[in-house]
């Protein structure tokens, strides 16, 4: 085993992709921008696996992130010249195919690159045997030890399939420091650093609630994790790049798409309630004191199926009698349909205002969404009927959408299998196949009891104001569930927030959540509360249950809601 850098006590790991479709030039920007030891990229998400699954249906040789191949064509020589290893999960459903394609790219460029890959996550062929049904794709979340084996064998590039997002960072760190499988605190520290940088510029000012405080958000730089032997890290970015790295931008990414205080993975469970954040200089934030525990005995499996076909038509309602106009259009359309689809739903968005100065401000939107296993029932048979209302319905009838055929939609569900049932194979640069054992020590995952809460802030004079006047938030999707993380800067604000923003109050502020199961988790070290809203997103992102199918704006909606806030906290 050899270290990946000249410094035995530090490894500098950058990120150049937070999703499939992220900034193409980021790989070159990161390689040219300053010193790195490893460059990582996260290309996979629940929706991406469905997209790649449909690619593979058309061509069995596909199933990987095609943009990654073009990035390597552009940057492989530069990476080799600078001694930067590249680790990415761009292999998607076909890491072996991607590795082979990269070898062809290297040969075409006349470069000697050692390319390895990790496989075993694809359980599609065994789904029924494992009790997972008959999905289009079934991929277990593997951990980092396959990456470790590839890097220790001298790989310049390691591509994987469905691993946990943080594994692309944990793998290089574990290889460099020679960590063992039970060095849980160090492993957990690297997992937290990986979680911070995995979504690219979301750690450097992107999607940041207090974005108006940032001097330069024109083109945020991508993040870098400087990880030390004990698992502590400093999050930073290349000098001269846009955006900012602050305690709050790092906290924002820590709150993204999490559940409770235990952040479980196949290699370690990180305790999010142990994290300490502190400023360590300009655009430098230290993460330390992270504690880890043995991982759970099961692996999460990403299951995607084709749920059927979907279509929608959106009516514009202008001026007076909006509710009556919507009722008429709904009644007519449902009566005129020759065959009713399996699912038919209506949403009225009251964007209109009285005595509006523009026609757009006087208008509301009425959306009808239909789904059915039969594409004919949601195709022209639906859309043409909607258009036929144009001259036969409410005054001013018009549409934002054109009639068209339905399109297939996906359904995401999580599954769980025993880790011992899932192969984890490192295919080294010379073709040697190495089996990676699952964790020998495991621990069942249970919720952390709510910690002792601080004394509530004393009641005094208040002012009606938006929650976002003092609080930041970040929201996202996890299958059909959404999370909303909310945090504040000051201890006094924290005492008020944790006492005030209960599940009951959240449901009052966000009425769409009132009938749903909502759970609150308290993270005192971050002065944060995290809410899990179950089933808000229906059957996952591809199902498009809401106009905001990934719940990206949910936290901002919460911040915009008004409540009585103590005046001294607002000051």
């Amino acid at each position: 085993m050899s270290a990946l850098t000249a410094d035995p006590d530090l490894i500098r790991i950058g990120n150049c992709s937070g999703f499939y479709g992220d900034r193409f030039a980021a790989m070159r920007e990161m390689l040219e921008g300053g010193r790195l030891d490893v460059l990582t990229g996260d290309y996979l998400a629940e929706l991406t696996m469905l997209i790649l699954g449909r690619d593979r249906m058309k061509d069995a040789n596909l199933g990987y992130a095609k943009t990654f191949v073009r990035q390597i064509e552009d940057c492989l020589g530069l990476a080799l010249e600078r001694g930067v290893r590249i680790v990415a999960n761009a292999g998607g459903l076909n890491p072996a195919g991607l590795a082979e394609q990269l070898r062809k790219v290297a040969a075409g460029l006349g470069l000697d690159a050692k390319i390895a890959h990790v496989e075993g996550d694809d359980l599609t062929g065994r789904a029924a045997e494992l009790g997972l049904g008959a999905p289009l794709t079934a991929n277990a979340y593997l951990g980092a030890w396959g990456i470790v084996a590839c890097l220790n064998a001298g790989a310049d590039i390691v591509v994987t399939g469905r691993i946990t997002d943080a594994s692309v960072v944990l793998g290089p760190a574990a290889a460099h420091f020679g960590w063992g499988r039970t060095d849980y605190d160090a492993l957990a520290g690297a997992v937290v650093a990986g979680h911070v940088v995995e979504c690219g510029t979301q750690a450097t000012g992107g999607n940041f609630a207090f974005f108006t405080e940032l001097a330069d958000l024109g083109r945020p730089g991508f993040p870098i994790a400087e990880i030390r032997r004990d698992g502590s890290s400093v999050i930073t970015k290349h000098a001269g790049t846009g955006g900012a790295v602050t305690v709050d931008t790092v906290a924002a990414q820590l709150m993204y798409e999490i559940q409770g205080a235990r952040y479980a993975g196949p290699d370690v469970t990180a305790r999010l309630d142990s994290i300490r954040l502190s400023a360590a200089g300009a655009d430098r934030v230290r993460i330390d004191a992270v504690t880890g525990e043995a991982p759970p005995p099961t692996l999460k499996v990403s299951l995607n199926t084709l749920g059927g076909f979907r279509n929608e038509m959106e009516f514009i309602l202008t001026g007076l009698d909006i509710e009556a106009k919507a009722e008429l259009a709904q009644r007519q359309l449902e009566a005129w349909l020759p065959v009713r689809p399996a699912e038919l739903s209506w949403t009225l968005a009251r964007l209109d205002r009285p005595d509006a100065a523009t026609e757009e401000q006087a208008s509301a939107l009425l959306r009808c969404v239909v789904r059915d296993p039969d594409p004919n029932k949601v195709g022209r048979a639906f859309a043409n009927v909607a258009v036929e209302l144009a001259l036969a319905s409410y005054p001013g009838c018009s549409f934002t959408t054109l009639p068209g055929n339905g399109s297939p939609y996906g359904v995401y569900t999580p599954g769980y299998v025993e880790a011992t049932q899932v192969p984890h194979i490192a295919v080294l640069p010379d073709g040697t196949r190495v089996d990676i054992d699952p964790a020998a020590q495991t621990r069942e995952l249970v919720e952390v009891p709510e910690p002792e809460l601080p004394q509530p802030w004393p009641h005094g004079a208040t002012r009606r104001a938006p929650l976002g006047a003092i609080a930041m938030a970040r929201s996202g999707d996890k299958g059909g569930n959404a999370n909303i993380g909310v945090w504040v800067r000051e201890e006094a604000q924290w005492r008020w927030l944790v006492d005030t923003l209960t599940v009951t109050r959240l449901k009052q502020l966000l009425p769409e959540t009132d009938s749903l199961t909502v759970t609150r988790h308290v993270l005192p070290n971050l002065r944060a509360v995290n809410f899990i809203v179950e089933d808000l997103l229906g059957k996952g992102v591809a199902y498009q249950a809401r106009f905001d199918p990934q719940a990206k704006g949910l936290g901002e909606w919460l911040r915009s809601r008004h409540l009585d806030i103590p005046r001294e906290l607002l000051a």
Side-chain angles (χ1 to χ4, degrees):
M1 182 182 300
S2 60
L4 303 187
T5 83
D7 187 339
D9 296 315
L10 179 73
I11 185 169
R12 192 170 158 91
I13 304 173
N15 168 281
C16 69
S17 177
F19 65 100
Y20 189 15
D22 208 345
R23 188 189 309 170
F24 182 84
M27 183 176 287
R28 177 164 286 275
E29 290 175 7
M30 290 298 286
L31 290 169
E32 293 180 337
R35 185 178 69 80
L36 290 176
D37 300 309
V38 178
L39 183 60
T40 66
D42 179 12
Y43 291 79
L44 302 183
E46 291 160 2
L47 179 61
T48 314
M49 300 303 282
L50 178 65
I51 294 170
L52 296 178
R54 293 179 62 187
D55 281 352
R56 190 171 62 174
M57 289 175 67
K58 299 172 186 175
D59 184 344
N61 295 315
L62 296 179
Y64 53 78
K66 296 185 288 290
T67 52
F68 181 75
V69 177
R70 294 193 287 118
Q71 287 176 306
I72 293 298
E73 286 176 333
D74 178 53
C75 297
L76 179 57
L78 180 60
L80 293 174
E81 175 189 328
R82 301 203 169 191
V84 178
R85 312 272 193 108
I86 296 175
V87 180
N89 61 10
L93 301 175
N94 189 7
L98 175 57
E100 183 58 31
Q101 189 63 33
L102 296 180
R103 291 187 189 98
K104 293 177 181 178
V105 168
L109 295 172
L111 298 171
D112 179 19
K114 296 179 177 62
I115 296 167
H117 75 274
V118 177
E119 60 184 46
D121 62 291
D122 192 344
L123 305 179
T124 307
R126 299 170 53 211
E129 165 200 338
L130 295 169
L132 301 172
L136 173 65
T137 67
N139 295 81
Y141 286 79
L142 300 181
W145 296 102
I147 296 171
V148 173
C150 292
L151 292 172
N152 285 340
D156 299 306
I157 300 177
V158 183
V159 292
T160 76
R162 178 70 279 186
I163 59 174
T164 62
D165 298 340
S167 289
V168 293
V169 170
L170 175 58
H176 179 61
F177 296 119
W179 290 334
R181 300 287 292 259
T182 59
D183 289 329
Y184 294 131
D185 289 350
L187 297 173
V191 163
V192 170
H195 176 57
V196 171
V197 303
E198 74 185 50
C199 284
T201 54
Q202 279 197 161
T204 58
N207 290 342
F208 178 52
F210 282 10
F211 70 98
T212 56
E213 295 181 351
L214 305 184
D216 176 16
L217 197 55
R219 190 177 176 86
F222 277 69
I224 299 165
E226 297 177 350
I227 302 177
R228 295 197 170 274
R229 183 171 294 277
D230 63 358
S232 65
S233 63
V234 168
I235 307 300
T236 185
K237 63 186 184 70
H238 284 321
T241 57
V245 179
T246 70
V247 168
D248 288 321
T249 68
V250 171
Q253 179 55 27
L254 281 174
M255 299 303 299
Y256 183 61
E257 295 182 344
I258 63 170
Q259 304 292 305
R262 283 191 165 99
Y263 187 74
D267 302 318
V268 64
T269 293
R271 290 291 297 261
L272 300 183
D273 54 349
S274 67
I275 298 171
R276 289 192 316 211
L277 299 181
S278 57
D283 290 318
R284 294 178 64 82
V285 172
R286 184 179 308 282
I287 303 174
D288 62 10
V290 183
T291 61
E293 301 168 344
T298 57
L299 299 185
K300 184 178 177 180
V301 183
S302 172
L303 302 170
N304 285 283
T305 60
L306 292 178
F309 297 83
R310 178 188 185 279
N311 205 349
E312 71 176 64
M313 290 292 290
E314 189 170 72
F315 299 77
I316 302 174
L317 316 174
T318 304
L320 305 176
D321 306 316
I322 295 293
E323 300 283 348
K325 290 172 179 174
E327 189 277 330
L328 176 59
Q330 180 174 342
R331 175 162 45 88
Q332 287 179 308
L333 177 62
E334 294 190 19
W336 290 19
L337 285 174
V339 181
R340 187 182 179 93
E343 297 181 41
L344 188 152
S345 60
W346 295 88
T347 305
L348 177 61
R350 293 300 303 266
L351 308 177
D352 56 301
R353 65 186 70 174
D355 195 22
T358 68
E359 183 177 345
E360 191 171 16
Q361 291 175 339
S363 300
L365 297 175
L366 176 67
R367 182 181 301 110
C368 181
V369 177
V370 290
R371 297 183 182 87
D372 198 278
D374 184 350
N376 296 317
K377 292 182 181 180
V378 299
R380 292 286 181 163
F382 159 72
N384 286 354
V385 167
V387 173
E388 288 170 4
L389 297 181
L391 304 182
S393 190
Y394 61 87
C397 179
S398 61
F399 308 89
T400 66
T401 48
L402 295 174
N405 294 319
S407 57
Y409 71 88
V411 173
Y412 166 84
T413 54
Y416 296 88
V417 298
E418 292 293 325
T420 55
Q421 297 294 306
V422 180
H424 185 172
I425 303 163
V427 184
L428 308 183
D430 64 1
T432 301
R433 300 173 65 83
V434 178
D435 290 325
I436 306 299
D437 292 331
Q441 297 182 17
T442 62
R443 175 175 177 169
E444 292 289 344
L445 195 64
V446 296
E447 293 290 349
V448 175
E450 185 168 282
E452 183 178 349
L453 302 181
Q455 287 296 313
W457 188 252
H459 294 286
T462 62
R463 177 161 64 85
R464 197 77 177 165
L467 176 63
I470 64 170
M472 290 162 275
R474 174 69 62 80
S475 57
D477 62 286
K478 274 295 182 185
N481 300 343
N483 95 291
I484 317 169
V486 186
W487 71 101
V488 290
R489 287 173 168 161
E490 305 296 336
E491 187 63 25
Q493 295 171 340
W494 166 238
R495 289 170 57 187
W496 174 82
L497 179 76
V498 74
D499 180 56
T500 302
L501 196 57
T502 60
V503 169
T504 299
R505 180 61 64 88
L506 180 90
K507 290 187 172 187
Q508 293 169 350
L509 295 172
L510 304 184
E512 289 180 27
T513 69
D514 185 54
S515 63
L516 303 175
T517 299
V518 178
T519 307
R520 186 179 84 156
H521 302 278
V522 179
L523 300 171
N525 283 11
L526 301 175
R527 298 193 184 100
V529 289
N530 185 53
F531 295 93
I532 308 300
V533 184
E534 296 183 23
D535 300 322
L536 181 71
L537 306 180
K539 298 176 182 177
V541 173
Y543 186 74
Q544 294 185 298
R546 307 175 74 245
F547 81 101
D548 176 20
Q550 292 181 284
K552 298 295 187 184
L554 195 62
E556 287 303 293
W557 177 28
L558 177 61
R559 291 183 64 244
S560 74
R561 296 309 310 268
H562 287 229
L563 64 173
D564 296 322
I565 301 176
R567 289 181 178 272
E568 55 196 304
L569 300 185
L570 290 166

